[in-house]
Amino acid sequence: MGFPADIRDREAGDGVRLAGNDRGLALLILVHLGLGCVSLIFVAQAYSHYHIFFRYESLPKAIATIAAFAVLTLLFVRASFSFGYFVGYYLFVMIAGYLWLNTFSEFGYNHRLSGFSAAASLVAFLVFALYQPTLPRLLTLSSRDFERLLGCLVLIGAAIAAISACYNFRLVSIEDIYRYRETLSAPTVVNYLVGIATTALLPFAFACYALRGSYWRASAVLIVLLLFYPITLSKQAFFAPAWLIVMLAATRLMELRATIVLSLLVPTATGMILFVLFRHSLFPERSAMPIFQLVNLRLIAIPSLAMDYYNEFFFSHDLTRFCQISFLKPLMSCPYQEPLAVVIYNWFGIGGYMNASLFATEGVASVGPVLAPVSALACGIVISIANGMSAGLCPRIILISGALLPQTLMNVPFTTVMLTHGAVLLFFLWYVMPRGAPEQGH
Protein backbone atom coordinates (compact mmCIF):
# COMPACT_ATOMS: atom_id res chain seq x y z
CA MET A 1 0.00 0.00 0.00
CA GLY A 2 1.34 3.46 -0.87
CA PHE A 3 1.67 6.21 1.69
CA PRO A 4 -0.46 9.37 1.49
CA ALA A 5 1.27 12.22 -0.32
CA ASP A 6 1.81 14.31 2.82
CA ILE A 7 3.49 11.38 4.61
CA ARG A 8 5.74 10.70 1.64
CA ASP A 9 6.77 14.34 1.58
CA ARG A 10 7.47 14.30 5.30
CA GLU A 11 9.60 11.19 4.95
CA ALA A 12 11.46 12.84 2.08
CA GLY A 13 12.98 15.05 4.73
CA ASP A 14 11.97 18.57 3.75
CA GLY A 15 8.85 19.14 5.77
CA VAL A 16 5.31 19.11 4.43
CA ARG A 17 5.41 20.46 0.88
CA LEU A 18 2.21 22.34 0.04
CA ALA A 19 1.04 23.45 -3.37
CA GLY A 20 2.71 26.70 -4.28
CA ASN A 21 5.25 26.28 -1.50
CA ASP A 22 8.18 27.01 -3.79
CA ARG A 23 6.59 30.26 -4.95
CA GLY A 24 6.05 31.24 -1.34
CA LEU A 25 9.68 30.48 -0.56
CA ALA A 26 10.83 32.59 -3.51
CA LEU A 27 8.70 35.49 -2.32
CA LEU A 28 10.08 35.10 1.19
CA ILE A 29 13.67 35.25 -0.06
CA LEU A 30 12.95 38.32 -2.22
CA VAL A 31 11.32 40.06 0.75
CA HIS A 32 14.39 39.20 2.81
CA LEU A 33 16.71 40.72 0.20
CA GLY A 34 14.64 43.91 0.15
CA LEU A 35 14.55 44.20 3.93
CA GLY A 36 18.28 43.52 4.07
CA CYS A 37 18.97 46.49 1.80
CA VAL A 38 16.73 48.80 3.85
CA SER A 39 18.43 47.52 6.99
CA LEU A 40 21.80 48.56 5.56
CA ILE A 41 20.40 52.04 4.88
CA PHE A 42 19.44 52.27 8.56
CA VAL A 43 22.89 50.98 9.57
CA ALA A 44 24.50 53.66 7.38
CA GLN A 45 22.47 56.33 9.17
CA ALA A 46 23.51 55.10 12.60
CA TYR A 47 27.08 53.86 11.98
CA SER A 48 28.57 55.83 9.11
CA HIS A 49 31.86 55.99 11.06
CA TYR A 50 32.23 52.29 10.18
CA HIS A 51 32.63 53.37 6.52
CA ILE A 52 29.06 52.30 5.77
CA PHE A 53 27.44 54.84 3.45
CA PHE A 54 24.24 55.51 1.53
CA ARG A 55 23.66 58.08 -1.24
CA TYR A 56 20.40 58.56 -3.08
CA GLU A 57 22.18 59.23 -6.39
CA SER A 58 23.65 55.71 -6.30
CA LEU A 59 20.38 54.04 -5.33
CA PRO A 60 19.27 53.03 -8.89
CA LYS A 61 22.59 51.27 -9.48
CA ALA A 62 22.34 49.47 -6.13
CA ILE A 63 18.79 48.32 -6.84
CA ALA A 64 19.78 47.06 -10.29
CA THR A 65 22.72 45.15 -8.80
CA ILE A 66 20.60 43.43 -6.17
CA ALA A 67 17.85 42.70 -8.73
CA ALA A 68 20.37 40.94 -10.96
CA PHE A 69 21.82 39.06 -8.00
CA ALA A 70 18.32 37.99 -6.92
CA VAL A 71 18.21 35.60 -9.89
CA LEU A 72 20.15 33.20 -7.66
CA THR A 73 16.96 32.85 -5.63
CA LEU A 74 15.99 30.18 -8.16
CA LEU A 75 18.82 27.97 -6.88
CA PHE A 76 17.38 27.99 -3.36
CA VAL A 77 13.83 27.47 -4.59
CA ARG A 78 14.73 24.40 -6.64
CA ALA A 79 17.23 22.83 -4.23
CA SER A 80 16.26 20.47 -1.42
CA PHE A 81 17.34 21.00 2.15
CA SER A 82 20.89 20.04 3.07
CA PHE A 83 23.61 21.40 5.29
CA GLY A 84 25.00 23.11 2.20
CA TYR A 85 21.63 24.80 1.68
CA PHE A 86 21.78 26.15 5.24
CA VAL A 87 25.32 27.48 4.84
CA GLY A 88 24.76 28.63 1.26
CA TYR A 89 21.75 30.77 2.13
CA TYR A 90 23.55 32.60 4.93
CA LEU A 91 26.49 33.30 2.60
CA PHE A 92 24.05 34.36 -0.14
CA VAL A 93 22.63 37.02 2.20
CA MET A 94 26.13 38.11 3.18
CA ILE A 95 27.26 38.56 -0.45
CA ALA A 96 24.04 40.45 -1.26
CA GLY A 97 24.90 42.82 1.58
CA TYR A 98 28.41 43.28 0.24
CA LEU A 99 27.16 44.05 -3.28
CA TRP A 100 24.89 46.71 -1.77
CA LEU A 101 27.70 48.23 0.31
CA ASN A 102 30.06 47.98 -2.66
CA THR A 103 27.82 50.32 -4.64
CA PHE A 104 28.10 53.05 -2.01
CA SER A 105 31.65 52.35 -0.82
CA GLU A 106 34.07 55.29 -0.81
CA PHE A 107 37.17 53.09 -0.79
CA GLY A 108 39.47 53.30 -3.79
CA TYR A 109 39.75 49.68 -4.98
CA ASN A 110 38.29 48.28 -8.21
CA HIS A 111 34.66 47.94 -7.15
CA ARG A 112 33.42 46.43 -10.41
CA LEU A 113 36.01 43.66 -10.37
CA SER A 114 35.40 42.90 -6.70
CA GLY A 115 31.63 42.88 -7.16
CA PHE A 116 31.81 40.41 -10.05
CA SER A 117 34.33 38.33 -8.09
CA ALA A 118 32.05 38.15 -5.03
CA ALA A 119 29.03 37.08 -7.08
CA ALA A 120 31.06 34.55 -9.05
CA SER A 121 32.56 33.17 -5.84
CA LEU A 122 29.12 32.57 -4.38
CA VAL A 123 27.95 30.79 -7.54
CA ALA A 124 31.09 28.65 -7.54
CA PHE A 125 30.48 27.75 -3.90
CA LEU A 126 26.79 26.92 -4.42
CA VAL A 127 27.40 24.70 -7.45
CA PHE A 128 28.75 22.02 -5.11
CA ALA A 129 27.36 23.12 -1.73
CA LEU A 130 23.76 22.51 -2.86
CA TYR A 131 24.65 19.06 -4.24
CA GLN A 132 24.36 15.93 -2.11
CA PRO A 133 26.57 13.11 -3.40
CA THR A 134 26.23 9.45 -2.52
CA LEU A 135 29.08 8.29 -0.31
CA PRO A 136 29.81 4.70 0.72
CA ARG A 137 28.90 3.95 4.32
CA LEU A 138 31.96 2.29 5.82
CA LEU A 139 31.13 2.79 9.50
CA THR A 140 27.84 3.05 11.38
CA LEU A 141 27.56 2.87 15.14
CA SER A 142 25.04 0.59 16.79
CA SER A 143 22.26 2.24 18.80
CA ARG A 144 23.93 1.21 22.06
CA ASP A 145 27.32 2.56 21.03
CA PHE A 146 25.75 5.76 19.81
CA GLU A 147 23.98 6.22 23.15
CA ARG A 148 27.31 5.88 24.91
CA LEU A 149 28.88 8.33 22.49
CA LEU A 150 26.25 10.98 23.29
CA GLY A 151 26.95 10.62 27.00
CA CYS A 152 30.67 10.93 26.37
CA LEU A 153 30.17 14.09 24.31
CA VAL A 154 28.34 15.77 27.19
CA LEU A 155 31.00 14.70 29.68
CA ILE A 156 33.74 15.93 27.36
CA GLY A 157 31.97 19.26 27.00
CA ALA A 158 31.63 19.59 30.78
CA ALA A 159 35.31 18.67 31.26
CA ILE A 160 36.39 21.28 28.72
CA ALA A 161 34.27 23.89 30.51
CA ALA A 162 35.86 22.97 33.84
CA ILE A 163 39.41 23.11 32.46
CA SER A 164 38.72 26.42 30.69
CA ALA A 165 37.25 27.93 33.85
CA CYS A 166 40.61 27.43 35.53
CA TYR A 167 42.04 30.03 33.12
CA ASN A 168 39.10 32.39 32.60
CA PHE A 169 35.83 32.81 34.44
CA ARG A 170 34.15 36.16 34.90
CA LEU A 171 30.47 36.92 35.43
CA VAL A 172 29.74 40.19 33.63
CA SER A 173 26.76 41.61 31.76
CA ILE A 174 26.76 41.26 28.01
CA GLU A 175 27.19 45.04 27.68
CA ASP A 176 30.52 44.85 29.51
CA ILE A 177 32.15 41.89 27.77
CA TYR A 178 34.42 44.07 25.61
CA ARG A 179 35.94 45.67 28.73
CA TYR A 180 37.26 42.32 29.90
CA ARG A 181 37.59 40.10 26.82
CA GLU A 182 41.04 41.40 25.93
CA THR A 183 42.29 40.17 29.31
CA LEU A 184 41.31 36.55 28.64
CA SER A 185 44.22 34.17 28.29
CA ALA A 186 44.38 30.40 27.86
CA PRO A 187 46.59 27.88 26.05
CA THR A 188 45.87 27.52 22.34
CA VAL A 189 44.79 23.91 22.71
CA VAL A 190 42.21 24.94 25.33
CA ASN A 191 40.82 27.60 23.00
CA TYR A 192 40.53 25.02 20.23
CA LEU A 193 38.71 22.60 22.53
CA VAL A 194 36.28 25.34 23.57
CA GLY A 195 35.47 26.09 19.92
CA ILE A 196 34.93 22.42 19.13
CA ALA A 197 32.73 21.80 22.18
CA THR A 198 30.52 24.86 21.80
CA THR A 199 30.07 24.83 18.02
CA ALA A 200 29.93 21.11 17.25
CA LEU A 201 29.86 18.58 20.10
CA LEU A 202 27.27 20.07 22.45
CA PRO A 203 24.82 21.25 19.74
CA PHE A 204 24.96 17.76 18.26
CA ALA A 205 24.20 16.15 21.63
CA PHE A 206 21.37 18.62 22.23
CA ALA A 207 19.78 17.90 18.85
CA CYS A 208 19.91 14.14 19.37
CA TYR A 209 18.47 14.25 22.88
CA ALA A 210 15.80 16.86 22.11
CA LEU A 211 14.51 15.19 18.95
CA ARG A 212 13.98 11.88 20.67
CA GLY A 213 12.23 13.46 23.65
CA SER A 214 15.03 13.22 26.25
CA TYR A 215 14.35 16.75 27.43
CA TRP A 216 16.14 16.50 30.78
CA ARG A 217 19.34 15.44 29.09
CA ALA A 218 18.87 18.11 26.41
CA SER A 219 18.44 20.70 29.17
CA ALA A 220 21.64 19.51 30.82
CA VAL A 221 23.47 20.05 27.53
CA LEU A 222 22.15 23.62 27.35
CA ILE A 223 23.34 24.30 30.90
CA VAL A 224 26.83 23.09 30.02
CA LEU A 225 26.75 25.21 26.87
CA LEU A 226 25.73 28.30 28.83
CA LEU A 227 28.66 27.79 31.23
CA PHE A 228 30.98 28.77 28.40
CA TYR A 229 29.69 32.37 28.43
CA PRO A 230 31.64 33.51 31.54
CA ILE A 231 34.61 31.60 30.16
CA THR A 232 34.67 33.11 26.66
CA LEU A 233 32.66 36.35 27.19
CA SER A 234 31.24 35.63 23.76
CA LYS A 235 27.81 36.69 22.54
CA GLN A 236 27.53 33.44 20.63
CA ALA A 237 28.06 31.46 23.84
CA PHE A 238 25.44 33.60 25.60
CA PHE A 239 22.78 33.23 22.91
CA ALA A 240 23.59 29.68 21.73
CA PRO A 241 21.19 27.84 24.09
CA ALA A 242 18.29 30.14 23.17
CA TRP A 243 19.16 29.86 19.48
CA LEU A 244 19.10 26.05 19.60
CA ILE A 245 15.72 26.11 21.35
CA VAL A 246 14.31 28.51 18.75
CA MET A 247 15.54 26.33 15.89
CA LEU A 248 14.10 23.23 17.56
CA ALA A 249 10.69 24.89 17.87
CA ALA A 250 10.77 26.43 14.39
CA THR A 251 11.52 23.14 12.68
CA ARG A 252 8.41 21.63 14.26
CA LEU A 253 6.23 24.34 12.72
CA MET A 254 7.72 25.09 9.31
CA GLU A 255 9.42 23.58 6.33
CA LEU A 256 13.17 23.55 6.89
CA ARG A 257 14.04 25.83 3.97
CA ALA A 258 11.57 28.45 5.19
CA THR A 259 13.02 28.06 8.70
CA ILE A 260 16.46 28.95 7.35
CA VAL A 261 15.21 32.07 5.58
CA LEU A 262 13.16 33.23 8.56
CA SER A 263 16.06 32.63 10.95
CA LEU A 264 17.69 35.71 9.41
CA LEU A 265 14.63 37.60 8.18
CA VAL A 266 12.81 37.79 11.52
CA PRO A 267 15.76 39.18 13.55
CA THR A 268 16.51 41.67 10.75
CA ALA A 269 12.91 42.90 10.63
CA THR A 270 12.74 43.10 14.43
CA GLY A 271 15.84 45.29 14.60
CA MET A 272 14.49 47.53 11.85
CA ILE A 273 11.14 48.00 13.58
CA LEU A 274 12.84 48.92 16.84
CA PHE A 275 15.13 51.37 15.03
CA VAL A 276 12.18 53.11 13.36
CA LEU A 277 10.30 53.29 16.64
CA PHE A 278 13.34 54.78 18.34
CA ARG A 279 13.86 57.37 15.59
CA HIS A 280 10.24 58.47 16.05
CA SER A 281 10.62 58.61 19.85
CA LEU A 282 8.20 55.71 20.31
CA PHE A 283 10.72 53.36 21.94
CA PRO A 284 13.60 54.10 24.32
CA GLU A 285 17.13 54.09 22.93
CA ARG A 286 18.47 51.88 25.71
CA SER A 287 16.13 49.10 24.59
CA ALA A 288 16.06 49.58 20.80
CA MET A 289 19.65 50.31 19.84
CA PRO A 290 21.40 47.39 21.60
CA ILE A 291 19.18 44.97 19.64
CA PHE A 292 19.66 46.90 16.40
CA GLN A 293 23.41 46.96 16.95
CA LEU A 294 23.58 43.26 17.79
CA VAL A 295 21.41 42.06 14.91
CA ASN A 296 21.46 44.56 12.07
CA LEU A 297 25.02 45.77 12.54
CA ARG A 298 26.95 42.88 14.06
CA LEU A 299 25.04 39.86 12.79
CA ILE A 300 24.09 41.11 9.32
CA ALA A 301 26.17 44.12 8.23
CA ILE A 302 29.64 43.36 9.64
CA PRO A 303 30.24 40.12 7.66
CA SER A 304 29.39 42.02 4.45
CA LEU A 305 31.44 45.05 5.52
CA ALA A 306 34.44 42.78 6.11
CA MET A 307 34.43 42.05 2.37
CA ASP A 308 34.70 45.79 1.72
CA TYR A 309 37.57 46.17 4.19
CA TYR A 310 39.50 43.18 2.89
CA ASN A 311 39.15 44.29 -0.73
CA GLU A 312 40.38 47.77 0.10
CA PHE A 313 43.37 46.48 2.06
CA PHE A 314 44.53 43.69 -0.25
CA PHE A 315 44.22 45.71 -3.43
CA SER A 316 47.25 47.66 -2.20
CA HIS A 317 49.04 45.09 -0.01
CA ASP A 318 50.63 41.69 -0.47
CA LEU A 319 48.35 38.68 -0.66
CA THR A 320 48.74 36.01 2.01
CA ARG A 321 48.88 32.94 -0.31
CA PHE A 322 47.12 31.10 2.56
CA CYS A 323 49.96 31.79 5.01
CA GLN A 324 47.38 32.91 7.57
CA ILE A 325 46.55 29.23 8.16
CA SER A 326 48.37 28.38 11.37
CA PHE A 327 49.93 25.08 10.30
CA LEU A 328 51.14 26.59 7.00
CA LYS A 329 52.62 29.75 8.45
CA PRO A 330 55.90 28.16 9.68
CA LEU A 331 56.43 26.62 6.23
CA MET A 332 56.08 29.84 4.25
CA SER A 333 57.36 33.37 4.13
CA CYS A 334 54.36 35.36 5.31
CA PRO A 335 54.10 39.16 4.96
CA TYR A 336 51.91 39.34 8.08
CA GLN A 337 53.00 38.06 11.46
CA GLU A 338 49.83 39.10 13.29
CA PRO A 339 46.42 37.50 12.64
CA LEU A 340 44.59 39.08 9.72
CA ALA A 341 41.84 40.35 12.00
CA VAL A 342 44.43 42.38 13.90
CA VAL A 343 46.09 43.57 10.68
CA ILE A 344 42.78 44.83 9.30
CA TYR A 345 41.82 46.53 12.57
CA ASN A 346 45.19 48.27 12.83
CA TRP A 347 44.77 49.59 9.29
CA PHE A 348 41.19 50.86 9.56
CA GLY A 349 41.05 51.56 13.30
CA ILE A 350 37.38 50.67 13.65
CA GLY A 351 35.13 47.65 13.58
CA GLY A 352 37.00 45.54 16.09
CA TYR A 353 39.15 42.53 15.30
CA MET A 354 37.32 41.64 12.13
CA ASN A 355 37.68 38.01 11.16
CA ALA A 356 35.98 37.32 7.87
CA SER A 357 34.35 34.62 5.78
CA LEU A 358 35.93 32.29 3.25
CA PHE A 359 35.21 34.80 0.47
CA ALA A 360 37.33 37.45 2.18
CA THR A 361 40.03 35.29 3.78
CA GLU A 362 40.56 32.23 1.59
CA GLY A 363 39.45 34.35 -1.37
CA VAL A 364 40.40 38.03 -1.52
CA ALA A 365 43.20 37.93 1.06
CA SER A 366 44.79 34.68 -0.11
CA VAL A 367 44.55 34.73 -3.92
CA GLY A 368 42.95 38.05 -4.89
CA PRO A 369 39.59 38.73 -6.55
CA VAL A 370 40.44 37.10 -9.88
CA LEU A 371 41.13 33.66 -8.39
CA ALA A 372 38.73 33.98 -5.45
CA PRO A 373 36.00 31.92 -7.22
CA VAL A 374 38.43 28.99 -7.50
CA SER A 375 39.00 29.06 -3.76
CA ALA A 376 35.24 29.26 -3.14
CA LEU A 377 34.71 26.28 -5.43
CA ALA A 378 37.11 24.19 -3.33
CA CYS A 379 35.24 25.16 -0.16
CA GLY A 380 31.95 24.22 -1.83
CA ILE A 381 33.33 20.76 -2.59
CA VAL A 382 34.09 20.26 1.12
CA ILE A 383 30.53 21.24 2.03
CA SER A 384 29.21 18.87 -0.64
CA ILE A 385 31.15 16.03 1.02
CA ALA A 386 29.52 17.03 4.32
CA ASN A 387 26.14 16.76 2.60
CA GLY A 388 27.04 13.24 1.54
CA MET A 389 28.17 12.31 5.05
CA SER A 390 24.79 13.42 6.44
CA ALA A 391 22.71 11.66 3.75
CA GLY A 392 19.91 9.58 5.20
CA LEU A 393 19.71 11.46 8.50
CA CYS A 394 16.59 13.19 9.68
CA PRO A 395 17.00 16.73 8.30
CA ARG A 396 16.08 18.28 11.65
CA ILE A 397 19.12 16.63 13.20
CA ILE A 398 21.32 18.28 10.56
CA LEU A 399 19.74 21.72 10.91
CA ILE A 400 19.70 21.87 14.71
CA SER A 401 23.10 20.28 15.34
CA GLY A 402 24.64 22.52 12.68
CA ALA A 403 22.72 25.63 13.72
CA LEU A 404 25.80 27.54 14.92
CA LEU A 405 27.99 26.83 11.91
CA PRO A 406 26.42 29.06 9.19
CA GLN A 407 26.76 32.20 11.29
CA THR A 408 30.30 31.15 12.21
CA LEU A 409 31.16 30.69 8.53
CA MET A 410 29.98 34.26 7.86
CA ASN A 411 32.55 35.59 10.32
CA VAL A 412 35.43 33.11 10.45
CA PRO A 413 37.78 31.69 7.77
CA PHE A 414 36.71 28.36 6.30
CA THR A 415 39.76 26.42 7.48
CA THR A 416 39.32 27.75 11.01
CA VAL A 417 35.68 26.65 11.12
CA MET A 418 36.55 23.21 9.77
CA LEU A 419 39.29 22.55 12.31
CA THR A 420 39.22 24.75 15.40
CA HIS A 421 35.41 25.04 15.50
CA GLY A 422 34.95 21.32 15.01
CA ALA A 423 32.97 21.26 11.76
CA VAL A 424 34.92 18.27 10.46
CA LEU A 425 34.20 16.40 13.70
CA LEU A 426 30.49 17.20 13.38
CA PHE A 427 30.49 15.85 9.82
CA PHE A 428 32.05 12.64 11.11
CA LEU A 429 29.38 12.34 13.81
CA TRP A 430 26.73 12.65 11.12
CA TYR A 431 28.47 9.95 9.11
CA VAL A 432 28.66 7.33 11.87
CA MET A 433 25.28 8.09 13.42
CA PRO A 434 22.74 5.26 13.00
CA ARG A 435 20.10 6.13 10.43
CA GLY A 436 16.51 6.29 11.59
CA ALA A 437 17.54 7.48 15.07
CA PRO A 438 17.08 9.23 17.34
CA GLU A 439 14.01 11.31 16.42
CA GLN A 440 10.62 10.08 17.52
CA GLY A 441 8.06 9.64 14.78
CA HIS A 442 10.47 10.46 11.94
Side-chain angles (χ1 to χ4, degrees), residues 32-344:
H32 186 195
L33 287 177
L35 286 178
C37 295
V38 177
S39 174
L40 289 173
I41 295 176
F42 291 169
V43 170
Q45 294 174 355
Y47 302 103
S48 60
H49 53 286
Y50 277 72
H51 304 288
I52 302 174
F53 302 108
F54 173 74
R55 298 180 301 276
Y56 282 103
E57 58 269 23
S58 299
L59 183 59
K61 181 181 177 182
I63 292 175
T65 300
I66 298 301
F69 183 74
V71 172
L72 296 181
T73 297
L74 294 174
L75 293 177
F76 294 99
V77 171
R78 299 182 65 87
S80 299
F81 170 80
S82 64
F83 176 69
Y85 190 105
F86 196 0
V87 171
Y89 185 76
Y90 272 55
L91 296 180
F92 165 75
V93 172
M94 187 197 76
I95 294 297
Y98 167 66
L99 294 177
W100 178 270
L101 295 176
N102 181 45
T103 306
F104 302 100
S105 175
E106 296 184 356
F107 292 136
Y109 64 87
N110 188 331
H111 292 279
R112 178 173 296 181
L113 172 62
S114 294
F116 277 116
S117 173
S121 295
L122 178 69
V123 172
F125 177 84
L126 292 177
V127 163
F128 283 96
L130 296 180
Y131 171 66
Q132 184 162 327
T134 300
L135 300 180
R137 297 202 46 77
L138 304 177
L139 175 64
T140 302
L141 296 179
S142 66
S143 296
R144 178 177 295 181
D145 289 338
F146 183 71
E147 174 69 23
R148 292 170 178 168
L149 174 63
L150 287 180
C152 289
L153 294 181
V154 179
L155 291 176
I156 291 171
I160 293 172
I163 294 171
S164 304
C166 295
Y167 296 95
N168 302 296
F169 193 91
R170 187 185 294 268
L171 290 172
V172 299
S173 67
I174 195 168
E175 293 84 5
D176 295 330
I177 59 175
Y178 296 109
R179 293 174 52 190
Y180 300 100
R181 200 155 66 181
E182 294 302 316
T183 66
L184 301 182
S185 177
T188 301
V189 66
V190 173
N191 292 330
Y192 287 174
L193 290 173
V194 168
I196 292 171
T198 56
T199 312
L201 301 186
L202 293 175
F204 177 78
F206 169 80
C208 293
Y209 283 137
L211 291 181
R212 72 179 186 183
S214 300
Y215 296 119
W216 285 109
R217 295 184 181 182
S219 299
V221 174
L222 294 182
I223 292 172
V224 174
L225 195 55
L226 189 59
L227 289 175
F228 283 94
Y229 168 68
I231 293 169
T232 63
L233 298 184
S234 162
K235 291 179 180 177
Q236 179 171 327
F238 183 82
F239 288 107
W243 182 247
L244 292 175
I245 292 172
V246 168
M247 298 303 278
L248 174 67
T251 56
R252 287 191 178 276
L253 303 174
M254 295 176 289
E255 183 204 5
L256 300 190
R257 299 180 304 168
T259 298
I260 291 169
V261 177
L262 289 171
S263 68
L264 284 179
L265 191 158
V266 171
T268 302
T270 301
M272 292 170 60
I273 292 170
L274 292 176
F275 181 78
V276 171
L277 292 176
F278 158 66
R279 292 295 292 267
H280 289 83
S281 301
L282 299 175
F283 207 78
E285 179 180 4
R286 66 179 182 276
S287 300
M289 290 309 291
I291 296 175
F292 181 79
Q293 182 183 44
L294 174 65
V295 175
N296 300 74
L297 174 65
R298 184 63 193 89
L299 177 69
I300 306 298
I302 289 296
S304 299
L305 180 63
M307 292 279 293
D308 202 26
Y309 280 22
Y310 275 64
N311 273 289
E312 167 68 5
F313 182 84
F314 286 101
F315 257 80
S316 57
H317 293 80
D318 292 335
L319 300 177
T320 68
R321 307 298 179 189
F322 301 103
C323 74
Q324 76 276 3
I325 301 174
S326 57
F327 62 85
L328 293 179
K329 201 165 190 174
L331 307 177
M332 320 173 52
S333 175
C334 190
Y336 310 101
Q337 299 308 310
E338 295 179 303
L340 287 187
V342 177
V343 172
I344 296 298

Side-chain angles (χ1 to χ4, degrees), residues 14-27 77 255 257-258:
D14 206 18
V16 180
R17 301 289 294 276
L18 304 176
N21 187 58
D22 287 346
R23 291 192 294 272
L25 181 66
L27 179 60
V77 171
E255 183 204 5
R257 299 180 304 168

